[in-house]
Amino acid sequence: MAEQPPSAFSDDPAVVGRRIRALREERGISLSALARRAGIGKATLSGLETGVRNPTLETLYAVTGQLGVPLAALLGPQAAGQPQTDAPVVVHGAAVEATLLEVFDDPDATYELYRIRVRAGATQVSPAHPAGVTEHLTVFRGEVTAGPVDASLRASAGGYLRWAADTPHTYAAGADDVEAALLIRTPRR
């Protein structure tokens, strides 16, 4: 029997699945329609909602993008309106490991602050977020190439990058791991 890949997140898959289903139903979207819009299989989405499938970070972003919510809406106690706990929520992608540090709201947007590590020599392409979402990356260690797939940017330690994240975008590290802070701003609809 093939070993399942590690989960994209440290939170309980069944809890995350219930949050996905609740958000989908609040918006009156069928399982089939959301799967089609997110570009994933209906069985995959059903497995996510029931907590029996381990999604990739890219899949979670595809789903949340179509639901019009930030990733943090699925993760940790703040997603359920509960106080922050000592256990950080960590999400994993093809190249990026991101620890959710804080979620904060203002009248116009939700902000997600992550501490990220991009593995040396690895590349990840993240799907487009909804219109108006921006990403802000401050590099503490290493050299990163990040931003829109067709117009990526470079920064090394002490550098800062900003891009509109409503198109597919990439993260790639050079010879060493990259350590950075990522702030994602999602405007309210």
Side-chain angles (χ1 to χ4, degrees), residues 57-72:
L57 180 58
E58 295 80 6
T59 298
L60 290 174
Y61 270 125
V63 170
T64 57
Q66 293 306 309
L67 291 171
V69 298
L71 181 63

Side-chain angles (χ1 to χ4, degrees), residues 147-161:
V149 170
D150 60 352
S152 57
L153 309 161
R154 276 187 174 269
S156 55
Y160 166 79
L161 302 174

Side-chain angles (χ1 to χ4, degrees), residues 11-183:
D11 217 353
D12 180 354
V15 172
V16 172
R18 285 191 297 272
R19 292 174 184 153
I20 292 171
R21 176 178 286 148
L23 288 164
R24 177 180 61 76
E25 289 175 348
E26 281 174 15
R27 285 153 178 74
I29 303 171
S30 72
L31 187 92
S32 297
L34 180 56
R36 185 176 53 256
R37 291 176 192 171
I40 62 174
K42 184 177 173 182
T44 298
L45 182 56
S46 176
L48 292 178
E49 287 190 357
T50 58
V52 297
R53 277 241 152 101
N54 287 329
T56 64
L57 180 58
E58 295 80 6
T59 298
L60 290 174
Y61 270 125
V63 170
T64 57
Q66 293 306 309
L67 291 171
V69 298
L71 181 63
L74 303 181
L75 305 175
Q78 60 272 19
Q82 300 172 5
Q84 181 67 33
T85 65
D86 290 336
V89 175
V90 180
V91 292
H92 306 273
V96 174
E97 176 183 290
T99 302
L100 180 61
L101 300 175
E102 186 71 44
V103 177
F104 46 100
D105 295 292
D106 70 23
D108 299 323
T110 296
Y111 297 85
E112 302 164 87
L113 179 61
Y114 295 92
R115 179 180 62 234
I116 71 167
R117 179 176 67 93
V118 184
R119 288 185 301 284
T123 300
Q124 175 175 315
V125 176
S126 293
H129 297 291
V133 174
T134 55
E135 295 195 11
H136 307 260
L137 187 71
T138 302
V139 181
F140 300 118
R141 184 173 73 100
E143 182 173 276
V144 69
T145 301
V149 170
D150 60 352
S152 57
L153 309 161
R154 276 187 174 269
S156 55
Y160 166 79
L161 302 174
R162 176 189 185 276
W163 64 90
D166 56 1
T167 63
H169 45 286
T170 188
Y171 298 88
D176 298 312
D177 283 0
V178 170
E179 291 181 15
L182 175 65
L183 180 70

